[in-house]
Amino acid sequence: MQFGIFTVSDVTTDPTNGTTPTDTERVRAMVTIAQHADQA
């Protein structure tokens, strides 16, 4: 099975710490969310 990741998420500064997530951090966050969704 193959699947792709497509997102149109915003690349905005985190208001709590003033940093902008890197592409890698955003993809890792999406994968984590997908894994939790799959477990549910």
Side-chain angles (χ1 to χ4, degrees):
M1 175 188 289
Q2 293 181 346
F3 67 94
I5 297 174
F6 174 79
T7 181
V8 291
S9 63
D10 293 330
V11 182
T12 57
T13 302
D14 184 336
T16 60
N17 61 21
T19 62
T20 302
T22 65
D23 292 337
T24 302
E25 291 169 332
R26 290 176 37 235
V27 170
R28 284 186 180 148
M30 286 184 284
V31 169
T32 299
I33 291 168
Q35 289 171 333
H36 289 315
D38 188 48
Q39 291 172 1

